[in-house]
Amino acid sequence: MVAPALLPAAASADGGAPWLLYRDADPFVAASGLPFAPPSAAPDAWRVEFVASASNAELAFDRGSEHLLYDGEFHEARLALTRAFGERWIARATIGEVSFGDGFLDGFIEDWHRTFGLDNGDRGHLAGDGHVIAYDDGGGNHIALDRRLHAATPLLVDLAWRLPAGAHEWQLGATLKLPTTHASPLVDDRAVDASLWLAAQSTDATTRLPWGVRAGAMRRGDTELLPNRANDLVPFADASLGVVLRPGWDVAAQLQWHGALYDSAIPLLNDAATLTLSSAWHAKGGWTLRAGLVEDAIAKHAQDVTIFLSLTL
């Protein structure tokens, strides 16, 4: 998913990094309060972002007593509202609607693998019905989602203090996650999570290489999702780099990493890194359309693939 920037010539209209409104879409992670990339907006301005995404995975694991089957696709529509208060403070709220089912990406992914001679892994070999997530460790930790589902995502609220420093700025921020639904712990784990983070990003509106970096840690509350295996403290880090190809058109990459949310031998429940690649068209009317693709940078530690389309006003 994406948080695109608006280019008047070579960088975003608010001079910020090309942060993408994305985080690991693995439901065992997305149900928590792991923050999205830092908020961005011009002083005393509003920023509105709408993102539609589809995330698909077909994976099976057996590690000792632990067993996990994940075969399905999550679709999400997310709205993010950002407000900058002068040059020093910025706040953002983001919430979405998510659905789980068979999806449409299986054929596309398999064709992609065949085209480039890649291994299809577990695809086509699992006994699931196309929309099932099931975990069991034989010791009382059990989770299952074997039905189609529509529900609201958790509400995430960011607040950051900004310090201008020439052609870049620092942000010292906090993120709070608030539960919204009891539909499934794989959509909202019902914990109240809090994160602290430090970020730096370019603010030079003329640069052709806008950038951003961030590091922080999330303190987890009382989760209903594998509570006996949940880790209390989860570190995370992000880096973003854009390239302005011409006025009104850019490409951007974002690498995100987070530590393990669970004490588990299963890769999908461990630390993970994702790579997001996107391209944006910035209209003269002041809106931006961005599309992109997300892959797991460490195989089988995140969902197989996510595609997204976003609109920023």
Side-chain angles (χ1 to χ4, degrees):
M1 294 189 298
V2 211
L6 304 177
L7 291 179
S12 62
D14 57 17
W19 287 117
L20 312 176
L21 191 69
Y22 180 79
R23 58 178 179 166
D24 188 346
D26 167 15
F28 288 92
V29 176
S32 76
L34 187 72
F36 289 95
S40 181
D44 293 315
W46 285 93
R47 185 186 183 105
V48 181
E49 302 164 66
F50 177 77
V51 183
S53 66
S55 300
N56 183 288
E58 193 168 335
L59 300 166
F61 302 95
D62 289 289
R63 300 291 190 274
S65 62
E66 293 183 88
H67 309 279
L68 173 62
L69 171 65
Y70 177 7
D71 183 8
E73 189 167 302
F74 280 89
H75 295 172
E76 184 176 285
R78 179 169 293 275
L79 178 67
L81 298 176
T82 304
R83 169 66 176 175
F85 301 92
E87 294 185 350
R88 297 292 187 176
W89 292 94
I90 188 166
R92 179 180 65 193
T94 173
I95 194 168
E97 177 76 13
V98 67
S99 65
F100 176 67
D102 294 353
F104 61 88
L105 284 174
D106 282 331
F108 166 78
I109 296 171
E110 291 171 10
D111 289 344
W112 176 278
H113 288 177
R114 280 193 294 267
T115 299
F116 292 95
L118 303 175
D119 185 0
N120 261 322
D122 294 322
R123 292 189 173 275
H125 303 293
L126 303 184
D129 60 4
H131 51 278
V132 58
I133 301 175
Y135 171 88
D136 194 287
D137 67 358
N141 287 288
H142 174 78
I143 189 72
L145 177 59
D146 55 4
R147 59 186 174 88
R148 299 181 185 275
L149 175 142
H150 294 268
T153 66
L155 172 66
L156 269 72
V157 179
D158 306 282
L159 179 64
W161 178 74
R162 307 199 289 189
L163 177 63
H168 68 281
E169 72 173 10
W170 292 91
Q171 286 193 20
L172 179 61
T175 300
L176 182 67
K177 175 252 184 176
L178 300 173
T180 59
T181 179
H182 287 276
S184 168
L186 283 165
V187 173
D188 188 336
D189 65 10
R190 302 301 302 166
V192 176
D193 302 331
S195 300
L196 291 176
W197 45 266
L198 179 66
Q201 65 176 16
S202 61
T203 55
D204 182 0
T206 64
T207 182
R208 292 195 173 273
L209 295 172
W211 57 270
V213 293
R214 181 181 66 169
M218 174 178 67
R219 178 71 178 185
R220 305 186 70 190
D222 295 329
T223 176
E224 296 180 5
L225 184 56
L226 306 181
N228 296 331
R229 288 187 173 271
N231 292 327
D232 293 333
L233 194 65
V234 180
F236 56 86
D238 319 290
S240 178
L241 178 65
V243 179
V244 178
L245 302 177
R246 54 173 296 178
W249 181 29
D250 77 55
V251 294
Q254 183 164 296
L255 182 65
Q256 295 181 288
W257 170 87
H258 64 78
L261 273 73
Y262 306 93
D263 181 13
S264 171
I266 291 179
L268 194 70
L269 303 182
N270 218 297
D271 66 317
T274 55
L275 178 63
T276 305
L277 301 174
S278 69
S279 184
W281 177 55
H282 310 274
K284 293 181 179 179
W287 52 271
T288 295
L289 187 66
R290 185 179 291 272
L293 176 75
V294 187
E295 282 277 356
D296 48 344
I298 308 176
K300 297 189 176 183
H301 281 239
Q303 80 288 349
D304 289 336
V305 67
T306 297
I307 60 172
F308 60 78
L309 183 68
S310 77
L311 177 66
T312 300
L313 304 172

